[in-house]
């Protein structure tokens, strides 16, 4: 990802020169254990490349091996302490220890520096291979629990088969509280909106300034089950930014749903299946199309991006019952989005009455589906007309 700076040079003590490289293994993933990215970690490689009379020169490379957790503005910081001089180092080299990685906030835990096989370098002409004098590896893993972050993202749900729109749970990311924290959120129609936002910008903090909502989250992901076809079904996903202080560049969404093994088409987002467990393809990473919607603009009329997903039904597993059509898990930029409680999901009308399928019901279903397929090809205003006619005919048949 682009959020990696190429190389950073830093002098720490006068005796040790460190050259920083941040390796961005493409668009690549962590909680200390994240079920969707079990091998995700950040690895710091510390290569001593030459000895100097009073110390050494080292190249420090940071590899982000996480599938979907990238480093956001204002960037990362790496800290460490020096171990006491050790007799087993031939030179007066100093061993770094107790690494702390902020990327940018807390959340990462780094293990000890381990001496590993020295890195080999191929010279630029490709003819010689040199090798580091010494190499240490440090592995850092992320834990959302450790980050002690309040949620930053929530999910709302709706469907074509039920009018109910299930909103994000109230107070997911905070509560509106005019008494103790006036100004904790902004009303979009406030005449002072512009001045509040620019005031906050001057303070130069990265704390979100959110639009007043019942959930108070900077990000909401809405999943709408839009259409049911014979062999396919269609979902519309909308990501809305409620934060007036953040343009999310290179955002990403991780979605877990069992039908991702048969995703047929995806509009206006990029897609990559994540296979944490080889043979289960139920998780996907979605991200924006460059120059089109890879930038999720700050709160306001432009602060949203959307896509439609077309899934092929697997007749043995597909159902709209029991909320099957809704996602199991959603992450925005690596952070878990809070879902509404399962018992609030929109459900199929008359779900309780379905056991008694009479011949009449079968007949109605058959005729309606024939009618609807036919009508699909016609204009919208024609549709109502035609449906009425067919229902009329149907009534006639019944009366006969
Ligand atoms: C760190 O991630 C890489 C790539 O996924 C993996 O090969 C390596 O084993 C991981 N390291 C640890 C200590 O988990
Ligand atoms: C490691 O660093 C942290 C924070 O800088 C400090 O609280 C802790 O005591 C250090 N641990 C060791 C073993 O030096
Ligand atoms: C040390 O880290 C680098 C970069 O991830 C990796 O290529 C190397 O295999 C690691 N060494 C060991 C012994 O894990
Ligand atoms: C907070 O204050 C604003 C304006 O003063 C008002 O419009 C809004 O309804 C208040 N919200 C709550 C939860 O009291
Ligand atoms: C977001 O981008 C727009 C257009 O580039 C810019 O006007 C606005 O100031 C940016 N907002 C933030 C919070 O960076
Ligand atoms: C999972 O997805 C990968 C990559 O698209 C594909 O190669 C593999 O066959 C899929 N496996 C299953 C079980 O769908
Ligand atoms: C739609 O789903 C809600 C639950 O979210 C339920 O209370 C309501 O009765 C359902 N509507 C119909 C028409 O079944
Ligand atoms: C469905 O049929 C069962 C018996 O076959 C009956 O007890 C039940 O009341 C019926 N339910 C409805 C909604 O008609
Ligand atoms: C209906 C359908 O196409 N099902 C396929 C979904 O994907 C799995 C795994 O790729 C296939 O085995 C199914 O046949």
């Amino acid at each position: 990802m682009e959020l990696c700076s190429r190389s950073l040079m830093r002098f720490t003590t006068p005796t040790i020169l460190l050259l920083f490289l941040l390796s961005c293994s493409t668009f690549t993933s962590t909680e200390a254990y994240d079920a969707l990215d079990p091998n995700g970690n950040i690895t710091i490689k510390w290569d001593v490349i030459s000895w100097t009379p009073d110390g050494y020169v080292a190249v420090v490379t940071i590899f982000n091996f996480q599938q979907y957790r990238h480093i956001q503005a204002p960037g990362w910081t790496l800290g460490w302490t020096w171990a006491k001089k050790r007799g087993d180092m031939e030179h007066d080299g100093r061993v770094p220890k107790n690494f702390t990685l902020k990327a940018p906030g807390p959340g990462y835990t780094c293990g000890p520096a381990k001496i590993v096989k020295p890195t080999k370098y191929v010279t630029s002409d490709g003819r010689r291979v040199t090798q580091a004098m010494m190499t240490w590896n440090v592995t850092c893993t992320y834990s959302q629990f450790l980050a002690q972050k309040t949620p930053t993202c929530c999910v709302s749900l709706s469907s074509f088969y039920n009018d109910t729109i299930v909103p994000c749970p109230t107070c997911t990311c905070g509560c509106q509280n005019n008494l103790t924290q006036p100004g904790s959120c902004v009303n979009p129609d406030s005449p002072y909106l512009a001045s509040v936002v620019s005031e906050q910008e001057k303070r130069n903090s990265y704390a979100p300034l959110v639009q007043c909502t019942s959930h108070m989250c900077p990000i909401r992901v809405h999943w709408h089950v839009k259409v049911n076809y014979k062999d396919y079904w269609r979902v519309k996903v909308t990501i809305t930014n409620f934060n007036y202080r953040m343009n999310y560049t290179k955002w990403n969404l991780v979605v877990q749903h069992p039908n991702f093994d048969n995703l047929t088409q995806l509009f206006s987002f990029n897609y990559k299946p994540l296979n944490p467990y080889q043979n289960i393809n139920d998780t996907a990473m979605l991200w924006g199309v460059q120059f089109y919607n890879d930038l999720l603009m700050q709160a306001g009329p432009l602060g949203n991006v959307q896509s439609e997903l077309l899934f092929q039904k697997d007749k043995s597993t597909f159902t709209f019952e029991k909320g099957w059509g809704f996602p199991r898990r959603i992450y925005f930029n690596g952070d878990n989005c809070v879902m509404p409680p399962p018992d609030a999901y929109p459900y199929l009308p008359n779900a309780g009455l379905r056991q008694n399928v009479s011949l009449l019901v079968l007949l109605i279903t058959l005729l309606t589906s024939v009618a609807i397929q036919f009508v699909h090809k016609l204009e919208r205003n024609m549709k109502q007309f035609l449906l009425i006619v067919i229902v009329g005919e149907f009534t006639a048949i019944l009366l006969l």
Side-chain angles (χ1 to χ4, degrees):
M1 291 205 46
E2 231 113 292
L3 293 145
C4 322
S5 49
R6 295 279 134 186
S7 87
L8 257 166
M9 270 239 267
R10 235 179 244 176
F11 291 89
T12 50
T13 67
T15 54
I16 297 174
L17 169 67
L18 297 174
L19 178 67
F20 278 89
L21 299 170
L22 189 56
S23 158
C24 314
S25 41
T26 61
F27 200 79
T28 59
S29 106
T30 293
E31 294 174 282
Y33 177 76
D34 182 339
L36 299 185
D37 190 13
N39 298 316
N41 66 64
I42 288 185
T43 297
I44 302 161
K45 190 162 65 84
W46 185 291
D47 290 308
V48 175
I49 51 167
S50 64
W51 300 110
T52 59
D54 52 357
Y56 61 78
V57 176
V59 172
V60 182
T61 315
I62 306 176
F63 297 86
N64 186 357
F65 288 122
Q66 302 177 99
Q67 302 263 34
Y68 44 76
R69 195 163 284 114
H70 62 243
I71 307 210
Q72 290 195 61
W76 54 274
T77 49
L78 186 66
W80 64 86
T81 54
W82 296 109
K84 291 219 179 75
K85 241 183 228 177
R86 283 181 11 182
D88 56 346
M89 287 275 291
E90 323 168 22
H91 293 258
D92 187 15
R94 295 229 271 168
V95 182
K97 62 160 199 172
N98 197 12
F99 280 85
T100 49
L101 174 67
K102 302 218 156 112
Y108 286 92
T109 316
C110 298
K114 286 199 186 117
I115 297 175
V116 298
K117 234 170 66 198
T119 309
K120 289 196 162 62
Y121 297 97
V122 181
T123 52
S124 49
D125 60 11
R127 288 163 64 188
R128 269 184 333 117
V129 176
T130 60
Q131 145 172 341
M133 304 290 167
M134 226 178 158
T135 300
W136 288 287
N137 270 11
V138 181
T139 304
C140 307
T141 51
Y142 182 80
S143 147
Q144 192 162 342
F145 173 74
L146 202 73
Q148 286 191 330
K149 278 206 290 195
T150 50
T152 53
C153 168
C154 63
V155 179
S156 56
L157 308 168
S158 61
S159 69
F160 69 86
Y161 54 77
N162 184 317
D163 289 342
T164 309
I165 296 173
V166 181
C168 283
T170 305
C171 293
T172 301
C173 304
C175 293
Q176 278 190 40
N177 192 335
N178 282 1
L179 297 175
T180 59
Q181 285 175 291
S184 60
C185 67
V186 191
N187 279 310
D189 46 4
S190 157
Y192 311 110
L193 176 59
S195 69
V196 176
V197 173
S198 70
E199 184 59 36
Q200 280 256 338
E201 257 155 33
K202 271 183 234 140
R203 272 188 251 160
N204 197 26
S205 92
Y206 281 86
L209 173 64
V210 296
Q211 187 177 312
C212 299
T213 56
S214 62
H215 53 79
M216 296 282 279
C217 291
I219 293 289
R220 182 188 68 197
V221 179
H222 184 78
W223 178 280
H224 175 64
V225 177
K226 191 177 171 186
V227 194
N228 182 26
Y229 306 105
K230 188 164 156 282
D231 297 321
Y232 298 90
W233 61 293
R234 185 185 284 267
V235 168
K236 179 171 179 176
V237 174
T238 308
I239 311 174
T240 308
N241 186 358
F242 290 101
N243 186 356
Y244 287 103
R245 309 218 45 224
M246 184 71 131
N247 289 325
Y248 293 90
T249 47
K250 306 274 168 191
W251 56 268
N252 73 68
L253 198 67
V254 171
V255 185
Q256 187 180 28
H257 187 282
N259 219 150
F260 270 108
D261 61 351
N262 295 87
L263 179 68
T264 306
Q265 212 179 352
L266 171 100
F267 301 88
S268 56
F269 283 2
N270 287 307
Y271 157 80
K272 180 186 163 208
L274 297 180
N275 301 56
Y277 310 98
Q278 255 83 57
N279 48 9
I280 311 176
N281 282 5
D282 64 351
T283 309
M285 178 166 69
L286 313 178
W287 69 101
V289 174
Q290 203 180 6
F291 306 126
Y292 174 58
N293 60 6
D294 61 335
L295 173 67
L296 174 54
M297 288 285 279
Q298 63 187 61
L302 300 174
N304 66 83
V305 289
Q306 40 187 263
S307 168
E308 295 203 355
L309 287 73
L310 188 68
F311 295 104
Q312 183 172 11
K313 291 178 186 172
D314 178 343
K315 295 277 153 59
S316 64
T317 53
F318 178 84
T319 172
F320 280 128
E321 280 178 48
K322 300 197 175 118
W324 191 88
F326 298 109
R328 305 299 181 265
R329 240 190 285 223
I330 291 196
Y331 290 0
F332 176 82
N333 278 356
D335 281 329
N336 202 351
C337 299
V338 178
M339 303 277 299
D343 59 1
Y345 286 16
Y347 54 73
L348 279 169
N350 305 327
L353 305 175
R354 320 193 101 237
Q355 295 99 313
N356 301 0
V357 182
S358 69
L359 196 62
L360 181 67
V361 173
L362 272 179
L363 195 66
I364 293 174
T365 315
L366 190 73
L367 283 178
T368 317
S369 67
V370 168
I372 288 173
Q373 276 181 16
F374 186 44
V375 161
H376 258 295
K377 301 190 181 102
L378 293 162
E379 296 285 328
R380 205 172 207 209
N381 49 355
M382 277 296 282
K383 190 191 262 184
Q384 276 185 346
F385 171 71
L386 206 88
L387 267 177
I388 290 161
V389 169
I390 290 177
V391 169
E393 269 177 25
F394 182 55
T395 317
I397 296 168
L398 272 188
L399 288 174
L400 284 171

